[in-house]
Amino acid sequence: MGPLLGHGQAAAGAPRRRELARAGLAGGAALALWGGWRLAAAPAARAEDRDELFALVAVEQALALAYAIARSRPGLDAGTRRLLGVLHDHERRHAEALGGLVRASQGTLPPEPRRLSDVDHYLPGLGAARGAREILAFAVGLEAVGLAAQAQALGRLTDGRAIQTVASITAAEGQHLVALRLARGREPLPEALETGTYSPRRSAPGIP
């Protein structure tokens, strides 16, 4: 499926999107609905769901670390840095919500990632990214990993509360993709279905 906007519409809207991105409003507007996002206290996850949730916690932790590293890079404009900060906060909250499900069922959590190599485990390239353009392009790929991991897990989870939580996070990852595309001056909705890109080989090591 091609872009939803015609060439003339896309060209006419590009300067405005770039203006919004520079002002830090493109991401903020797209994410405004999630600004007050909250989840209730997590009940225990079913034993058969623990491995899936463990892996998803690791993915969200890696995304949060990637945004923490990215927003600390020199030379970023204020709007890009603000957007990366919002996305970092969201990914931390995703990891906390998923981790609550695991802890409530007496499961163990993956170790907190600390190094760039922990991000490279899922998607290499952040270390070489320089400037807003390259960092935002990397972030689009990283969000595609997160979205696909969540979507794939939905087909395997059995507990209703776990499914509800992961479905909410999947929707948020889709919003992240839209915000990042707007910040890059790209078509925000290029496809009717967002599937992302995630390989089982990138699943978290050390799943109990």
Side-chain angles (χ1 to χ4, degrees), residues 20-195:
L20 290 173
R22 284 195 296 269
L25 298 178
L31 297 171
L33 292 177
W34 288 91
W37 184 71
R38 296 289 187 274
L39 284 174
R46 294 180 180 176
E48 56 266 36
D49 290 339
R50 286 179 193 161
D51 287 359
E52 292 290 341
L53 294 170
F54 178 98
L56 292 181
V57 171
V59 170
E60 295 298 324
Q61 288 176 336
L63 265 63
L65 174 61
Y67 285 122
I69 294 172
R71 71 177 179 177
S72 68
R73 292 284 170 82
L76 297 179
D77 60 272
T80 297
R81 200 178 302 280
R82 187 180 305 117
L83 174 58
L84 295 174
V86 170
L87 297 178
H88 168 265
D89 291 344
H90 281 202
E91 303 302 352
R92 289 298 307 168
R93 288 158 67 183
H94 295 171
E96 290 167 3
L98 294 165
L101 292 171
V102 176
R103 284 192 300 270
S105 61
Q106 308 302 312
T108 59
L109 295 178
E112 191 78 22
R114 303 290 182 188
R115 301 179 300 275
L116 182 62
S117 60
D118 295 319
V119 177
D120 290 341
H121 178 75
Y122 296 97
L123 185 68
L126 179 57
R130 295 291 182 271
R133 181 177 179 179
E134 293 182 3
I135 287 175
L136 290 172
F138 173 84
V140 168
L142 193 65
E143 286 292 343
V145 170
L147 187 149
Q150 304 289 344
Q152 290 178 25
L154 282 173
R156 295 188 286 263
L157 292 170
T158 61
D159 177 72
R161 182 58 180 174
I163 292 171
Q164 180 185 20
T165 300
V166 173
S168 296
I169 293 172
T170 304
E173 304 293 12
Q175 281 202 327
H176 293 178
L177 276 172
V178 169
L180 288 164
R181 288 168 181 156
L182 285 171
R184 297 183 69 209
R186 301 296 178 87
E187 165 58 47
L189 298 170
E191 302 291 342
L193 299 176
E194 293 282 5
T195 58

